[in-house]
Amino acid sequence: MPPPRLVLPTPAGDPGGALRRSYLRLIALSSTPHHLDQLLAVSLASGHYALDPAPATALLLRYASLRAPHAHLLRLFRAFPRPDRFLRNALLRSLPSLRPHLLFPCPDSFSFAFAATSLSSSSCSSRGSGDAASAARALHALAVAAGYAEDTFVASALAKLYSKLSRGDDARKVFDEVPAPDTILWNTLLAGLSGSEALEAFVRMVEAGRVQPDSTTLASVLRAAAEVANVAMGRCVHGYGVKCGLAEHEHVVTGLISLYAKCGDMVCARCLFDRMEDPDLVAYNALISGYSVNGMVESSTELFKKLAASGWRPNPSTLVAVIPVYSPFGLELLARCLHGFVVKARLDADALVSTALTTLYCRLNDMETARSMFDAMPEKTMESWNAMISGYAQNGLTEMAVALFQQMQALNVQPNPITISSTLSACAQLGALSMGKWVHKIIAKENLELNVYVMTALIDMYAKCGSIAEARSIFDRMDNKNVVSWNAMISGYGLHGQGAEALKLYKAMLDAHILPTSSTFLSVLYACSHGGLVDEGRTVFHVMTNEYKITPGVEHCTCMVDLLGRAGKLKEAFELISEFPKSAVGPGVWGALLGACMVHKDSDLAKLASQKLFELDPENAGYYVLLSNLYTSKKRYSEAAVVRQEAKSRKLVKTPGYTLIEIGDKPHVFMAGDRVHPQAEAIYSYLEKLTAKMIEAGYQPVTEAALYDVEEEEKEHMVKVHSEKLAIAFGLLSTEPGTEIRIIKNLRVCLDCHNATKFISKVTQRLIVVRDASRFHHFRDGVCSCGDYW
């Protein structure tokens, strides 16, 4: 049953307007909806309520400002038998959703502008993006039908609405419908465009010469220039502002400070700041942020102290600016002091400040404090969820990153591209293909498949989870690929040992006129290294350094040594190290050489490489293990014992090896000799039978790297129970014949397990995909995709 209709009595005359003024004053003084209810009740009971537009409109707007229920506003509006245009516009301005019938029969420019403003208000954010966009298009169509498409006031409101909904193309269409856009409409368009697009639009505005830019125009353009770090364009705008007499405007000066700071020119930024007679808090915040972004933490904190001493009260933006998120390392004490200041200033509940502190602690690898900050937030923003999820992913706590994303989904919090990218990164590290596919479904559901960063993260996830064909399929479907997309696909081919495909894609990238980056060359060199493409790798390295003038970094040099070392060119690799920049010769380079010496049994060069490693990275137990295993394989047992004793005296512990396998959606982790799994007895029994079949097929255990002081039979048992074999046996037991087996090893697969897996794939007729710390191995019918080159 509909609620009873409220009918207001016809008022008695009010010749002098005293009653009208009294109502207006009482309406303005009301501080709660209850006060307005009392005022309305008195007016109804006395019969003196003035029904002219001013009190009626004022009453409705005051109800709206005091957050009265929308149904109450509508009921009040319907009580007036002949609502005029002002009352309709007041209601349109106060409602969060479009009600087309309220626009008519007498709409004006204010009607459409107020309706657009309401749709773009914060209450609109609770609607689905698709619903909001549909409502915006409906309002736009009504404005066109009513003849207001060329009205600059209406167009500004519609363009702002479309920009807020991230529909830049629609905003430009609104702009293009206006034959003579004014400065306000230009400013609205500039504010809604991305950095480079805004700069291009500003150039068109100046060249057209029909309207004069104002301080708001320049502030928007400077913000756009800062966004894309285009300092040259920023200087042009600065000069234009001086010529037009706008450069001294407070907002323009602050925009210039922010521009120069973000482009690394802190001298200009500080000069502009010092020339301000009385810099406001926004100017202080811009300069403090600039110092922080450029790693000048001491200058940032000194300016923060000056701000506090000058009498300004720091606001949340100030704290976000001074918190050293960009360069926190070694600044734990400063982080704690700022955290204490935040608590003392009672700003710890602010979402921006809490998110900045969460990010800071994540980068300091203090995940416990970061999580406590996150959990204490009264209202978690999208940025706070992203900070925590990416923090877990970047610190290797991949399972916690995925778990937090699942919690986010359970709370119906809509993810954005950054959330999805961070979660996919965690899935890629974890090798959790089933979880990655689940996230892929969410991407499709949220219509994020046009976002280049999301799709690039998806390529990376599928490649690192073993599905290189699916990764390529996604890559081919992308309409807009950036250089990171190409790099991810090339890197994926390298990870799977498909060097020829990586080189083919690299050449296609150059043909598409995509400028390769340092990361591109690293991906190509990596692919050449794992594909045994020595000549091609040499050529790529030469092109990088000589044609593109890219100075090789540590990882490029490591790849080159690895490439030559794997191919047995140990002398050339050793000589090349002396040609590298000194800054690029670190543990990675010597470690690659030591690994190659292990493969090719060059104990003399291995000893030299080990000495360098023990100097550069004395706490890494892996190097001691490699050298010891090399001595053991050459039956130089006394030297192996000395190396092991040295590691023992330093109390170094080798990273324990483990292997993960997913059955269904559940991960199972095995370690060497593991008997804690519920099905351990069945796994070991099956492994015994499987080993017998492998031996019949010609398998012989490779025990040369096992401990030298045990019997050969015991050595065979030791390699038999490596974690890879246990995981594969469990996978074979738990899946149907013909099902692909996928496992992930945290360390490099050993020689015996590599050999054994070839035989397992042959006797079981299964495809077995192994991801180790170095690359992917695809075993099929007794052959590995790496060609025994890993």
mmCIF file of all heavy atoms in Angstrom, residues 613-636:
data_model
loop_
_atom_site.group_PDB
_atom_site.id
_atom_site.type_symbol
_atom_site.label_atom_id
_atom_site.label_comp_id
_atom_site.label_asym_id
_atom_site.label_seq_id
_atom_site.Cartn_x
_atom_site.Cartn_y
_atom_site.Cartn_z
ATOM 1 N N LEU A 613 83.239 -15.289 -4.725
ATOM 2 C CA LEU A 613 81.910 -15.353 -4.110
ATOM 3 C C LEU A 613 81.985 -15.320 -2.594
ATOM 4 O O LEU A 613 81.156 -14.677 -1.932
ATOM 5 C CB LEU A 613 81.183 -16.619 -4.579
ATOM 6 C CG LEU A 613 80.684 -16.584 -6.023
ATOM 7 C CD1 LEU A 613 80.294 -17.977 -6.498
ATOM 8 C CD2 LEU A 613 79.499 -15.645 -6.151
ATOM 9 N N PHE A 614 82.960 -16.011 -2.028
ATOM 10 C CA PHE A 614 83.102 -16.022 -0.570
ATOM 11 C C PHE A 614 83.442 -14.628 -0.047
ATOM 12 O O PHE A 614 83.091 -14.275 1.079
ATOM 13 C CB PHE A 614 84.175 -17.020 -0.136
ATOM 14 C CG PHE A 614 83.856 -18.450 -0.501
ATOM 15 C CD1 PHE A 614 84.861 -19.409 -0.597
ATOM 16 C CD2 PHE A 614 82.552 -18.844 -0.752
ATOM 17 C CE1 PHE A 614 84.575 -20.718 -0.927
ATOM 18 C CE2 PHE A 614 82.250 -20.162 -1.089
ATOM 19 C CZ PHE A 614 83.263 -21.101 -1.188
ATOM 20 N N GLU A 615 84.074 -13.805 -0.902
ATOM 21 C CA GLU A 615 84.378 -12.422 -0.520
ATOM 22 C C GLU A 615 83.139 -11.526 -0.657
ATOM 23 O O GLU A 615 82.864 -10.710 0.224
ATOM 24 C CB GLU A 615 85.497 -11.856 -1.407
ATOM 25 C CG GLU A 615 86.858 -12.497 -1.208
ATOM 26 C CD GLU A 615 87.866 -12.023 -2.259
ATOM 27 O OE1 GLU A 615 87.542 -11.043 -2.980
ATOM 28 O OE2 GLU A 615 88.953 -12.625 -2.365
ATOM 29 N N LEU A 616 82.417 -11.706 -1.757
ATOM 30 C CA LEU A 616 81.284 -10.827 -2.056
ATOM 31 C C LEU A 616 80.022 -11.194 -1.291
ATOM 32 O O LEU A 616 79.240 -10.320 -0.915
ATOM 33 C CB LEU A 616 80.983 -10.857 -3.566
ATOM 34 C CG LEU A 616 82.064 -10.266 -4.481
ATOM 35 C CD1 LEU A 616 81.750 -10.605 -5.936
ATOM 36 C CD2 LEU A 616 82.143 -8.758 -4.302
ATOM 37 N N ASP A 617 79.803 -12.499 -1.104
ATOM 38 C CA ASP A 617 78.557 -12.964 -0.473
ATOM 39 C C ASP A 617 78.871 -14.134 0.464
ATOM 40 O O ASP A 617 78.474 -15.279 0.205
ATOM 41 C CB ASP A 617 77.562 -13.381 -1.561
ATOM 42 C CG ASP A 617 76.151 -13.590 -1.024
ATOM 43 O OD1 ASP A 617 75.913 -13.267 0.153
ATOM 44 O OD2 ASP A 617 75.290 -14.063 -1.797
ATOM 45 N N PRO A 618 79.586 -13.872 1.572
ATOM 46 C CA PRO A 618 80.077 -14.960 2.428
ATOM 47 C C PRO A 618 78.988 -15.725 3.170
ATOM 48 O O PRO A 618 79.249 -16.808 3.689
ATOM 49 C CB PRO A 618 81.004 -14.230 3.418
ATOM 50 C CG PRO A 618 80.494 -12.823 3.442
ATOM 51 C CD PRO A 618 80.007 -12.546 2.069
ATOM 52 N N GLU A 619 77.769 -15.190 3.222
ATOM 53 C CA GLU A 619 76.704 -15.845 3.987
ATOM 54 C C GLU A 619 75.811 -16.742 3.140
ATOM 55 O O GLU A 619 74.826 -17.277 3.638
ATOM 56 C CB GLU A 619 75.830 -14.776 4.682
ATOM 57 C CG GLU A 619 76.596 -13.852 5.614
ATOM 58 C CD GLU A 619 77.362 -14.624 6.687
ATOM 59 O OE1 GLU A 619 76.764 -15.515 7.307
ATOM 60 O OE2 GLU A 619 78.553 -14.332 6.890
ATOM 61 N N ASN A 620 76.148 -16.892 1.861
ATOM 62 C CA ASN A 620 75.317 -17.710 0.972
ATOM 63 C C ASN A 620 75.828 -19.145 0.971
ATOM 64 O O ASN A 620 76.908 -19.444 0.439
ATOM 65 C CB ASN A 620 75.344 -17.135 -0.448
ATOM 66 C CG ASN A 620 74.294 -17.765 -1.347
ATOM 67 O OD1 ASN A 620 74.061 -18.969 -1.289
ATOM 68 N ND2 ASN A 620 73.679 -16.951 -2.188
ATOM 69 N N ALA A 621 75.059 -20.039 1.562
ATOM 70 C CA ALA A 621 75.485 -21.436 1.686
ATOM 71 C C ALA A 621 75.505 -22.171 0.346
ATOM 72 O O ALA A 621 76.229 -23.151 0.181
ATOM 73 C CB ALA A 621 74.552 -22.166 2.650
ATOM 74 N N GLY A 622 74.727 -21.678 -0.631
ATOM 75 C CA GLY A 622 74.622 -22.378 -1.909
ATOM 76 C C GLY A 622 75.945 -22.507 -2.639
ATOM 77 O O GLY A 622 76.212 -23.524 -3.298
ATOM 78 N N TYR A 623 76.792 -21.481 -2.540
ATOM 79 C CA TYR A 623 78.084 -21.529 -3.231
ATOM 80 C C TYR A 623 78.994 -22.608 -2.637
ATOM 81 O O TYR A 623 79.733 -23.283 -3.356
ATOM 82 C CB TYR A 623 78.766 -20.169 -3.169
ATOM 83 C CG TYR A 623 77.920 -19.040 -3.721
ATOM 84 C CD1 TYR A 623 77.822 -17.820 -3.054
ATOM 85 C CD2 TYR A 623 77.205 -19.194 -4.904
ATOM 86 C CE1 TYR A 623 77.054 -16.781 -3.560
ATOM 87 C CE2 TYR A 623 76.423 -18.166 -5.416
ATOM 88 C CZ TYR A 623 76.354 -16.966 -4.732
ATOM 89 O OH TYR A 623 75.584 -15.951 -5.223
ATOM 90 N N TYR A 624 78.950 -22.770 -1.322
ATOM 91 C CA TYR A 624 79.734 -23.817 -0.672
ATOM 92 C C TYR A 624 79.256 -25.198 -1.125
ATOM 93 O O TYR A 624 80.053 -26.106 -1.362
ATOM 94 C CB TYR A 624 79.618 -23.697 0.846
ATOM 95 C CG TYR A 624 80.289 -22.473 1.424
ATOM 96 C CD1 TYR A 624 79.626 -21.263 1.523
ATOM 97 C CD2 TYR A 624 81.609 -22.526 1.884
ATOM 98 C CE1 TYR A 624 80.231 -20.131 2.054
ATOM 99 C CE2 TYR A 624 82.229 -21.403 2.424
ATOM 100 C CZ TYR A 624 81.537 -20.209 2.497
ATOM 101 O OH TYR A 624 82.154 -19.102 3.030
ATOM 102 N N VAL A 625 77.939 -25.335 -1.244
ATOM 103 C CA VAL A 625 77.367 -26.616 -1.663
ATOM 104 C C VAL A 625 77.804 -26.952 -3.092
ATOM 105 O O VAL A 625 78.198 -28.088 -3.387
ATOM 106 C CB VAL A 625 75.826 -26.585 -1.555
ATOM 107 C CG1 VAL A 625 75.220 -27.853 -2.159
ATOM 108 C CG2 VAL A 625 75.396 -26.421 -0.115
ATOM 109 N N LEU A 626 77.746 -25.948 -3.997
ATOM 110 C CA LEU A 626 78.141 -26.184 -5.383
ATOM 111 C C LEU A 626 79.597 -26.635 -5.486
ATOM 112 O O LEU A 626 79.925 -27.619 -6.164
ATOM 113 C CB LEU A 626 77.960 -24.901 -6.206
ATOM 114 C CG LEU A 626 76.590 -24.643 -6.836
ATOM 115 C CD1 LEU A 626 76.581 -23.297 -7.544
ATOM 116 C CD2 LEU A 626 76.216 -25.745 -7.811
ATOM 117 N N LEU A 627 80.483 -25.905 -4.798
ATOM 118 C CA LEU A 627 81.907 -26.252 -4.865
ATOM 119 C C LEU A 627 82.164 -27.620 -4.245
ATOM 120 O O LEU A 627 82.917 -28.436 -4.790
ATOM 121 C CB LEU A 627 82.736 -25.181 -4.150
ATOM 122 C CG LEU A 627 84.256 -25.333 -4.247
ATOM 123 C CD1 LEU A 627 84.715 -25.307 -5.704
ATOM 124 C CD2 LEU A 627 84.958 -24.234 -3.453
ATOM 125 N N SER A 628 81.504 -27.908 -3.132
ATOM 126 C CA SER A 628 81.661 -29.209 -2.478
ATOM 127 C C SER A 628 81.189 -30.339 -3.381
ATOM 128 O O SER A 628 81.855 -31.381 -3.509
ATOM 129 C CB SER A 628 80.878 -29.223 -1.163
ATOM 130 O OG SER A 628 80.856 -30.505 -0.604
ATOM 131 N N ASN A 629 80.044 -30.135 -4.041
ATOM 132 C CA ASN A 629 79.522 -31.161 -4.943
ATOM 133 C C ASN A 629 80.458 -31.389 -6.134
ATOM 134 O O ASN A 629 80.630 -32.523 -6.605
ATOM 135 C CB ASN A 629 78.134 -30.765 -5.451
ATOM 136 C CG ASN A 629 77.064 -30.923 -4.389
ATOM 137 O OD1 ASN A 629 77.298 -31.555 -3.354
ATOM 138 N ND2 ASN A 629 75.899 -30.345 -4.622
ATOM 139 N N LEU A 630 81.071 -30.297 -6.619
ATOM 140 C CA LEU A 630 82.004 -30.430 -7.729
ATOM 141 C C LEU A 630 83.218 -31.270 -7.313
ATOM 142 O O LEU A 630 83.632 -32.188 -8.034
ATOM 143 C CB LEU A 630 82.455 -29.047 -8.198
ATOM 144 C CG LEU A 630 83.517 -29.016 -9.305
ATOM 145 C CD1 LEU A 630 83.037 -29.779 -10.538
ATOM 146 C CD2 LEU A 630 83.860 -27.584 -9.676
ATOM 147 N N TYR A 631 83.770 -30.969 -6.136
ATOM 148 C CA TYR A 631 84.904 -31.756 -5.645
ATOM 149 C C TYR A 631 84.505 -33.212 -5.446
ATOM 150 O O TYR A 631 85.244 -34.147 -5.768
ATOM 151 C CB TYR A 631 85.426 -31.176 -4.327
ATOM 152 C CG TYR A 631 86.245 -29.908 -4.484
ATOM 153 C CD1 TYR A 631 86.170 -28.889 -3.535
ATOM 154 C CD2 TYR A 631 87.110 -29.737 -5.568
ATOM 155 C CE1 TYR A 631 86.922 -27.726 -3.663
ATOM 156 C CE2 TYR A 631 87.857 -28.586 -5.704
ATOM 157 C CZ TYR A 631 87.759 -27.575 -4.753
ATOM 158 O OH TYR A 631 88.521 -26.445 -4.893
ATOM 159 N N THR A 632 83.298 -33.438 -4.921
ATOM 160 C CA THR A 632 82.818 -34.803 -4.687
ATOM 161 C C THR A 632 82.690 -35.571 -5.997
ATOM 162 O O THR A 632 83.078 -36.743 -6.093
ATOM 163 C CB THR A 632 81.461 -34.775 -3.960
ATOM 164 O OG1 THR A 632 81.616 -34.101 -2.708
ATOM 165 C CG2 THR A 632 80.948 -36.178 -3.702
ATOM 166 N N SER A 633 82.149 -34.904 -7.034
ATOM 167 C CA SER A 633 81.960 -35.579 -8.316
ATOM 168 C C SER A 633 83.295 -35.968 -8.949
ATOM 169 O O SER A 633 83.368 -36.895 -9.737
ATOM 170 C CB SER A 633 81.175 -34.678 -9.274
ATOM 171 O OG SER A 633 81.938 -33.545 -9.640
ATOM 172 N N LYS A 634 84.368 -35.246 -8.595
ATOM 173 C CA LYS A 634 85.705 -35.559 -9.132
ATOM 174 C C LYS A 634 86.521 -36.402 -8.142
ATOM 175 O O LYS A 634 87.732 -36.560 -8.304
ATOM 176 C CB LYS A 634 86.445 -34.255 -9.452
ATOM 177 C CG LYS A 634 85.712 -33.384 -10.482
ATOM 178 C CD LYS A 634 86.611 -32.368 -11.142
ATOM 179 C CE LYS A 634 87.458 -33.035 -12.211
ATOM 180 N NZ LYS A 634 88.216 -32.085 -13.029
ATOM 181 N N LYS A 635 85.800 -36.897 -7.102
ATOM 182 C CA LYS A 635 86.390 -37.769 -6.086
ATOM 183 C C LYS A 635 87.528 -37.089 -5.311
ATOM 184 O O LYS A 635 88.445 -37.738 -4.827
ATOM 185 C CB LYS A 635 86.887 -39.085 -6.715
ATOM 186 C CG LYS A 635 85.796 -39.857 -7.447
ATOM 187 C CD LYS A 635 86.272 -41.213 -7.883
ATOM 188 C CE LYS A 635 85.223 -41.937 -8.719
ATOM 189 N NZ LYS A 635 83.935 -42.089 -8.040
ATOM 190 N N ARG A 636 87.433 -35.767 -5.204
ATOM 191 C CA ARG A 636 88.397 -35.016 -4.394
ATOM 192 C C ARG A 636 87.748 -34.775 -3.030
ATOM 193 O O ARG A 636 87.357 -33.673 -2.665
ATOM 194 C CB ARG A 636 88.771 -33.710 -5.097
ATOM 195 C CG ARG A 636 89.544 -33.965 -6.395
ATOM 196 C CD ARG A 636 89.605 -32.762 -7.312
ATOM 197 N NE ARG A 636 90.329 -31.624 -6.738
ATOM 198 C CZ ARG A 636 90.597 -30.506 -7.415
ATOM 199 N NH1 ARG A 636 90.217 -30.412 -8.695
ATOM 200 N NH2 ARG A 636 91.238 -29.515 -6.839
#
